[in-house]
Each structure stands twice: as C-alpha cells, then as structure tokens.
Amino acid sequence: MFRRNFEDELNDLHVRFSEMGMMVNEAIYKSVNAFINHDKTLAKEVIEADARINQREVDLEKRSFEMIALQQPVTGDLRMIVTVMKASSDLERMGDHAVSIAKSTIRVKGNVRVPEIEQTLAEMATKVKQMVEEVLDAYVKADMKRAREIALEDKNIDAFSGKVYKMCLKQMQSDPDTIVGSMDYMLVDSYLERIGDYVTNICEWIVYLETGKLVELNANAKEDNIF
Amino acid sequence: MAENKNVITVQDLHLYYGQLEALRGVSIDFRKNEITAVIGPSGCGKSSLLKTINRLNDLIPNVTVTGTVKLNDQDIYAPSMDAVELRKQVGMLFQQPNPFPFSIYDNVIYGLRISGEKNKQVLDEAVERSLQAAAIWDEVKDRLHENAMGLSGGQQQRICIARALATRPKVLLMDEPTSALDPISSSEIERTMLELKNDYSIVIVTRNMQQASRMSDRTAFFLQGELIEYGQTRDIFLQPQQKETEDYISGRFG
C-alpha cells in the first residue's frame, strides 16, 4: 500500500465529503422534480442512488476513524475530521428524506391534484436546494459568516412549511377527494422542512470548524408546526 | 510464480545472551517497499531483532542465535555469507547520529571506499544521489568538504541515512532514529523515510507510538522476547486482536 502523507489524506477527505454533498443535492433536486412531475422513473432513480450516499458516509467515517487513530490530529486538523464525520451524518439523513419524497411519488395513484399546493412545494424545494448548494459552498470556502447567514434562511423554509400546511388543511376541508393527496403534500412539506434543519446543522459545523465553538443556530426558531 | 513480496524472512529465531533468552522463537516477514514498525516495552527484544538482521550481534560475546534469517531467500547466517557484504545490503541507523569525524563527502562514500571503489566520478555521483535521497543535498551541497560533526543533530542523522544509501542497500534498519532529535528534525527524517520506501524496505524500532502509527504500513508488537501481534498498522491501532497489544498501545503499561 502506498501511503500518502497526512495532508493528502485530509484533502482527500475534504473532497470526498464535498462530493457526497453534491450527490445529496442531486437526490433532493431529482426527488422534488419527480414528485411535482409524477415521474416514477426518476423517483426510482433517487431511491437506487441512495445506496451510494450511504456507502459514502460509511467510507468517510472509516477514513476519519483511521486518521484519528493513526495520525492523532489536533487543532484545526481534528476539527476538520470531526466536522466531516458529523456533517456527513446530516447529509446522509438529508438523502434519506429525498428518498422519502421519492417514495411518496411512487405511492401516488391517480389522486386528485392541487396545482397551487404543488406550485408552492416546488418553490419551497427550489429554496431548499439553493440552501443546500450554498451550505456546501460555505463549507468548501470555510466561510463562517456565510454559514450563519444561510442558517437564518431556514426561517423562509419554515414559512413555506406553514403555508403548505394551511393550504392542505383548507383543501382537505373543502374537497374530501383531495385528502389522500394532501396528506402526501404535507409529508413532502415536512421532509423538505427537515432538510432545511439539517442545513442549519451543517452551518453549525462550519462555525465549529472555524472557531472550535459548538453553537446552536436558530435556537429560538419557532417549533415545527407540522401535524 | 508470484513475486516474493518479502525482503526478509525470519523463522523460529532464538537469541541468547549467555543464559538469557532475548528472542523466543520469533517468526516474522518484512515486506518490500514498506515501512514496518517494531514496537514494545524496554527489553522486549525489538533492538535485538534488528541487530540480528544485520548480524551486529556477531561482535557480542556469548551470543547464540538459532533459527533462520533470510534476506531475499539467502540465509544471512550461512557460512558463505560475508558480513560486510550483508551490511552493504542492510543499512543501519541508530538512535544517536553517528557520523564519522570526517567531511560530509567522506562520510557518504565510506562504504564504497572500503569496498574498493576509487573512481572519482562514481563516488561523486554516489554522494549526490545519496544526499538527494536523504533529502539533505540542498542543505550541504556547497560544503561537502566540511566536517560532518559540525552539522545539527537532524542533519547528522540524514548524513547517516545518506551513508547507508550509498551502497545501494535493500533494507534500512532504524533503531529509534529520531528519539534524540527535536520535533522538527524528527518530522524531516519521517518525511525522508516516506520517500525512501519507494526504493527501499525499512524496519524501524520505535518507542514513539505516534511515529509507528503515522509512518508505518505494518506494525509488530513484541513483549518479553515474543512476537505478540503483527499486522497492518491500521488494524493494530484500531482493533488489535491481542489484549496485551491493546494495553500497550493504549498506554496501560510499558
């Protein structure tokens, strides 16, 4: 085995984590597109691709454990490895939510659809996707200031979430035929909302990476209002 | 036939200093182009093992060696094996840098000169090649004829590496090569070792656990003259199979 030096290994870890971020971002994007367009083929693609995301998380963990055991990293090096370990779990959970959205897509069977709600969900998904992209960029640039700003954007996601929730309730009251479909809308809404929360978690890890401080961003945000 | 991955093969090696059995039936293979770390508490036999591979124990009275040690399938204890020839192939580095009180140039060519090489061009080439490989050429190229004793400890140690490399050895044995050096010199030696393993096989005895873990491909743990555990460094440091290994690596004794 040709063993590269520690700097190379760290850099490799960093790159592989960023790649995982892109894989997750793609999964979220595709799952929402599949849901909006009732594209079951695309939804299946998301579900199948999740194995790769899970595998990547395990791979990053394994590498991190090895680096901790063999290289005894300290200070910034240690923080970087810890950040990758923790944030990769968040990414993996985000991937799972994308799979849940994809599964909702496959479950839908000729329900009566509500275009306004789907439109709002699409807008919400676009916003979530943008936040995921931004947080990955902030990680790569180790931009703590940006990370704090991104965490604040989660409020917008929560606002969308509340809006979808109310729209669904109203829809179900007015037209019982849309109850099953609206339940699915509410589920997708909650998955997207959770993805936003994981983005906030990653923002917290970027702050840790830079400062060594464990912070709670959005600690005062209103409780989730789903169900 | 598959290429032999081992450069040194040790089988059922016993070593006695008089009545004292310092190695108790050790069998271990050292791989080509790898760094193997040998760890263990004081008196566990790790330095004895290293000296056996270079036949340095020949000089100590009352030493008895049984078992076989082979370098590329050649028994180094066979009567036909010339100790000087062996030491050209198996270089050694010690805890204290031990350059001769000569010029840097004369230190590096020492091994070649005693084996009869006189061609100045060959010697010049060997000096540059060896000092380059030991990662000290740039620091000393303008003062090759100054006394090596005037260099810093870390530089002296790298001169000793260059001296060992000049005879184009197969194996480098290092007995705690950085324990007398400051951290910066140590890390320079370590970096040099990582580069050297592309061309050489290295066996390093070390008491510095971090050094073993970050440098080596394989680790051997010795206790009271016995090889307790040997395997890939990552396995030894993450999940050793023997409790003694775990206790030693975790700092519970030693």
Side-chain angles (χ1 to χ4, degrees), chain B residues 9 68 77 111 132 205 246:
Chain B
T9 310
T68 54
Y77 282 91
Q132 291 268 19
V205 163
E246 175 144 2

Side-chain angles (χ1 to χ4, degrees), chain A residues 94-217:
Chain A
M94 287 157 82
D96 287 347
H97 287 306
V99 167
S100 298
I101 295 172
K103 284 182 176 165
S104 303
T105 307
I106 291 170
R107 259 200 317 273
V108 172
K109 279 187 198 147
N111 290 325
V112 180
R113 301 174 56 173
V114 187
E116 314 84 81
I117 297 178
E118 290 192 353
Q119 178 58 36
T120 311
L121 276 175
E123 285 165 23
M124 181 180 180
T126 307
K127 184 68 198 149
V128 168
K129 181 176 162 283
Q130 184 198 331
M131 278 177 71
V132 174
E133 279 163 8
E134 283 174 353
V135 79
L136 292 173
D137 189 53
Y139 166 79
V140 170
K141 293 178 181 154
D143 189 342
M144 182 177 82
K145 190 166 159 280
R146 191 76 197 99
R148 286 181 179 276
E149 288 164 8
I150 296 163
L152 290 176
E153 290 173 30
D154 192 44
K155 286 199 181 79
N156 300 332
I157 303 298
D158 291 345
F160 265 117
S161 179
K163 188 175 169 192
V164 172
Y165 177 72
K166 285 188 189 109
M167 286 169 91
C168 289
L169 277 186
K170 206 169 146 203
Q171 188 63 37
M172 288 191 273
Q173 283 163 346
S174 64
D175 181 1
D177 283 348
T178 60
I179 285 180
V180 175
S182 295
M183 290 291 289
D184 263 325
Y185 292 146
M186 286 165 86
L187 276 175
V188 171
D189 173 44
S190 74
Y191 298 141
L192 288 173
E193 193 272 332
R194 288 300 295 149
I195 292 172
D197 292 345
Y198 284 113
V199 169
T200 306
N201 284 2
I202 296 177
C203 292
E204 290 168 358
W205 287 114
I206 295 171
V207 174
Y208 171 75
L209 181 64
E210 288 302 290
T211 64
K213 292 197 177 94
L214 295 163
V215 294
E216 188 74 33
L217 300 176

Side-chain angles (χ1 to χ4, degrees), chain B residues 192-243:
Chain B
T192 308
M193 286 170 66
L194 284 172
E195 280 169 26
L196 286 174
K197 80 169 186 173
N198 293 326
D199 299 310
Y200 305 92
S201 312
I202 298 174
V203 181
I204 175 173
V205 163
T206 179
R207 274 181 299 184
N208 180 337
M209 221 72 72
Q210 284 95 330
Q211 186 172 53
S213 74
R214 68 178 169 247
M215 299 280 306
S216 66
D217 301 291
R218 275 161 208 278
T219 297
F221 171 60
F222 280 81
L223 190 61
Q224 293 173 349
E226 286 178 50
L227 175 61
I228 304 297
E229 191 165 351
Y230 180 40
Q232 294 229 2
T233 297
R234 92 164 77 93
D235 297 333
I236 299 280
F237 277 83
L238 272 115
Q239 202 115 43
Q241 299 300 308
Q242 305 298 326
K243 191 173 181 305

